[in-house]
Amino acid sequence: MTLSRTTALLAAAVLLASCGAKVEAAGPSGTAAGPATVTNCGERVAYPKPARPVAYDVSGSEKMFSLGLADRMRGYVMNSLGDPSIAGSPWKDDYARVERLGTSRVTKEILVQAEADWVIAGWNSGFSEERGITPKLLDQLGIRSYLHTETCWEYPTAKAEATPVEALYTDLRNLGDIFGVRPRADELVRELQGRFDAVRSGAPKDAPPVRVFVYDSGADQPYTAGKHAAPNDIIAAAGGVNVFRDLADGWGSVGWEAVVESEPEVVIVVDYADQPAEDKITFLKSSPQVARTPAVRDDRFHVISYGDLVSGPRNAQAAESLATYLRSIGR
């Protein structure tokens, strides 16, 4: 290409930009870089590369941070309950340099005020029909949405289910495509797969799995992890079995009678801001019914951060931690 031809093209591009036209950046082959098309909750969705993305909660934030995307983010929204998870995060520095846009739930108003063009959140955790923040409504405002695959089981268009850990891998690969960092995403997925494989290989092969109850919160009714939540896979990898693995939910409430009948041998206590793990353990020990279960009777409590148990790259750390604890008690 001659110098005059190059100059002419550059001048044309400047003229188009000054008139308000969009000029696509050239891809590596010299062709225009188009949107990345991925499958999200059963739908094929074309995502133009986000310019002002926002993440909600630990799950969204740390999937972005783990892919090196902090510098591209407009901000994140995090309930203050997640503050201890930030303090213990491998990406604590990223949390400090990316703007925190809210300390409760993500809302349409927060996204509009931030001039966001893309958001990642879970269905019925961040996105919600009742709260008026859905992908369809946000589309009308020019804000694209990505739903955590772990939550797709209850989304209307979902056509298939993925186990929680497979859902995590799907999200990382999809984000890699959307943000143009797929090689980094593939490398991270391989690393996490290797860590989970190592945990599984260290679990006893001939012994029955340890019965594990996840206690998140709740006095009248305990809030726990069902088959669609990350702890289900974390527990299985470490050589245990979630006593509420048949609960057709992500996180949900059950009755104390069901907990007692399940005879848990270990309790995972979820630790976050307003409900310290020590208080939860004291409560369980003070309950005449629950105190008779093997886990409480034998003082077998394992505390894990909320940030390690929601869908995200820290799930491998949770599996490693639980496996170490189970081996320490001879299980």
Side-chain angles (χ1 to χ4, degrees), residues 289-304:
Q289 275 187 304
V290 183
R292 294 196 300 269
T293 62
V296 180
R297 182 191 65 218
D298 297 336
D299 200 30
R300 288 181 172 175
F301 301 99
H302 185 56
V303 179
I304 302 183

Side-chain angles (χ1 to χ4, degrees), residues 189-255:
V189 169
R190 285 192 295 270
E191 177 198 332
L192 295 174
Q193 288 173 326
R195 292 171 67 183
F196 268 101
D197 287 345
V199 170
R200 292 187 192 97
S201 67
K205 302 299 184 290
D206 301 324
V210 185
R211 298 187 304 278
V212 181
F213 165 52
V214 179
Y215 183 40
D216 176 277
S217 57
D220 294 335
Q221 284 190 312
Y223 194 67
T224 190
K227 73 174 184 178
H228 294 292
N232 203 59
D233 284 4
I234 290 167
I235 293 167
V241 59
N242 175 12
V243 295
F244 290 107
R245 62 194 178 281
D246 294 328
L247 179 65
D249 210 334
W251 295 81
S253 296
V254 297

Side-chain angles (χ1 to χ4, degrees), residues 46 50 101 113 119 180 186 189 224-225 235 239 255 273 299 329:
L101 303 171
Q113 185 173 2
V119 60
D186 288 340
V189 169
T224 190
I235 293 167
D299 200 30
I329 61 172

Side-chain angles (χ1 to χ4, degrees), residues 15-22:
L15 179 61
L16 284 169
S18 66
C19 294
K22 292 183 179 178

Side-chain angles (χ1 to χ4, degrees), residues 8 14 85 112 142 162 180-181 194 234 237 282 292 313:
V14 171
S85 297
V112 170
V181 291
I234 290 167
T282 299
R292 294 196 300 269

Side-chain angles (χ1 to χ4, degrees), residues 74-267:
R74 171 62 184 87
Y76 70 93
V77 179
M78 177 84 73
N79 193 302
S80 57
L81 296 179
D83 287 354
S85 297
I86 294 176
S89 173
W91 299 281
K92 181 169 59 176
D93 291 344
D94 287 333
Y95 279 113
R97 61 199 180 97
V98 176
E99 184 177 356
R100 188 172 184 170
L101 303 171
T103 56
S104 186
R105 291 196 175 192
V106 65
T107 65
K108 176 180 65 178
E109 291 73 21
I110 287 174
L111 297 175
V112 170
Q113 185 173 2
E115 298 181 340
D117 64 351
W118 184 92
V119 60
I120 180 172
W123 182 246
N124 282 340
S125 55
F127 301 120
S128 167
E129 292 276 8
E130 290 145 353
R131 295 192 302 106
I133 176 171
T134 67
K136 183 176 181 180
L137 291 171
L138 292 176
D139 257 349
Q140 296 170 8
L141 300 172
I143 303 170
R144 307 305 302 276
S145 303
Y146 183 89
L147 294 92
H148 295 299
T149 302
E150 184 199 51
T151 68
C152 286
W153 62 274
E154 56 182 345
Y155 191 67
T157 63
K159 296 179 176 62
E161 295 179 1
T163 65
V165 168
E166 287 299 327
L168 166 63
Y169 301 154
T170 295
D171 287 342
L172 293 174
R173 293 185 183 110
N174 281 347
L175 294 177
D177 286 338
I178 292 167
F179 287 91
V181 291
R182 180 60 186 261
R184 182 162 186 161
D186 288 340
E187 181 181 357
L188 177 58
V189 169
R190 285 192 295 270
E191 177 198 332
L192 295 174
Q193 288 173 326
R195 292 171 67 183
F196 268 101
D197 287 345
V199 170
R200 292 187 192 97
S201 67
K205 302 299 184 290
D206 301 324
V210 185
R211 298 187 304 278
V212 181
F213 165 52
V214 179
Y215 183 40
D216 176 277
S217 57
D220 294 335
Q221 284 190 312
Y223 194 67
T224 190
K227 73 174 184 178
H228 294 292
N232 203 59
D233 284 4
I234 290 167
I235 293 167
V241 59
N242 175 12
V243 295
F244 290 107
R245 62 194 178 281
D246 294 328
L247 179 65
D249 210 334
W251 295 81
S253 296
V254 297
W256 284 113
E257 296 83 1
V259 175
V260 174
E261 290 171 4
S262 72
E263 296 188 322
E265 299 170 274
V266 168
V267 177

